[in-house]
Amino acid sequence: MKAYQNCYWMSADGLKLHYRDYPGDAAKPPILCFPGLTRNARDYDALATRLAGAWRVLAVDFRGRGRSEYAKDPMSYVPQTYVADVQALLAEQGIDRFVAIGTSLGGIVTMLLAAAGANIAAALINDVGPEIDPAGLARIRGYVGKGGSCPTWMHAARSVWDSNADVYPDWQIEDWLAMAKRLYRLTSSGRIVPDYDLKIAEPFRAPGNAAPPDLWAALAHLRDVPTLLVRGERSDVLAASVAERMVAALDRAELVTLPGIGHAPTLGEEGLRQPIDRLLAQVA
């Protein structure tokens, strides 16, 4: 038996969007998980499985990723549209208060949801901030939308290893294979390809669309909210100085820096288990 159900909702512009629904205690606010730019709901399976039962967890596929439909207009692949899509999900499910967990792009969506008035009970922002390091931005722009295919899962694992060896220097081949199965999908022709619409790169590469302006103002809406900030020590997206400024801007924030890891932590690291549990313990 799967630990979750595959569920769907409709966006305002008529896209069928997907999320995994891991059942849990209906008396608590549900946890909504938002993935990174080229990632999908599968990234959160280990964390969601651990928390399910005690918590209901909804792991979202943003439009153009995973099981969600691809957008007809690629210029809709921007954070403001993802916020509107999540707002449609909240309305459809009758969710008026929730815990937000966001990695990279998902962290930007979390901040923008707060600015839009979402009732966030607690937040985990994973390896992203109101300012994105130019080095990380250049690296992401260099690979997003490139495409390509692999003949076997082992080839896919090797490809992921080659491009992420500096991010997870201690990983073994089984870790890279597991990541490949989160990142790629098998086509009907038997090829293994990235599991996202390559056109997400079009607005991302346009000036000003990689991250919306004035995210410091958006972050300020989380000032009184219990917040866990996670940073990989070797991150080229979230600078240590920006992370420290984020802590200073929030009244109830904890910063955890994971040694030896780049962008972005998987949230399955052993050093995060207790901080995540401490964060959730603050949710009434």
Side-chain angles (χ1 to χ4, degrees), residues 29 34 90 96-101 109-115 117-124 221-222 224-227 283:
F34 309 124
L90 296 172
D96 57 10
R97 185 168 178 258
F98 63 96
V99 175
I101 298 179
V109 170
T110 296
M111 289 183 274
L112 290 175
L113 280 166
N119 187 0
I120 297 177
L124 189 163
H221 289 271
L222 294 171
D224 298 326
V225 175
T227 302
V283 180

Side-chain angles (χ1 to χ4, degrees), residues 42-203:
R42 297 195 295 278
D43 264 359
Y44 285 103
D45 185 62
L47 178 62
T49 299
R50 178 171 85 81
L51 298 176
W55 299 85
R56 181 188 179 196
V57 182
L58 284 67
V60 170
D61 279 335
F62 288 137
R63 59 175 55 210
R65 285 85 162 172
R67 290 179 175 234
S68 286
E69 287 187 338
Y70 290 9
K72 297 178 180 66
D73 177 10
M75 297 311 290
S76 72
Y77 290 132
V78 293
Q80 293 88 339
T81 307
Y82 307 138
V83 168
D85 290 345
V86 172
Q87 288 171 327
L89 172 60
L90 296 172
E92 195 256 9
Q93 285 292 302
I95 296 170
D96 57 10
R97 185 168 178 258
F98 63 96
V99 175
I101 298 179
T103 293
S104 198
L105 169 63
I108 291 174
V109 170
T110 296
M111 289 183 274
L112 290 175
L113 280 166
N119 187 0
I120 297 177
L124 189 163
I125 299 177
N126 182 20
D127 213 58
V128 74
E131 297 175 23
I132 298 177
D133 190 301
L137 198 54
R139 178 179 58 80
I140 293 168
R141 280 184 168 140
Y143 74 74
V144 65
K146 292 296 187 187
S149 67
C150 301
T152 70
W153 283 111
M154 196 56 70
H155 284 86
R158 183 71 209 195
S159 176
V160 175
W161 186 353
D162 288 344
S163 57
N164 291 276
D166 290 342
V167 178
Y168 312 107
D170 297 331
W171 276 20
Q172 304 300 312
I173 187 60
E174 58 269 20
D175 300 309
W176 297 115
L177 187 59
M179 174 174 266
K181 291 188 175 182
R182 296 195 296 272
L183 276 170
Y184 291 82
R185 64 181 174 86
L186 182 66
T187 69
S188 57
S189 61
R191 300 296 290 184
I192 296 165
V193 300
D195 196 10
Y196 68 89
D197 184 356
L198 299 182
K199 292 181 180 179
I200 69 170
E202 293 185 21

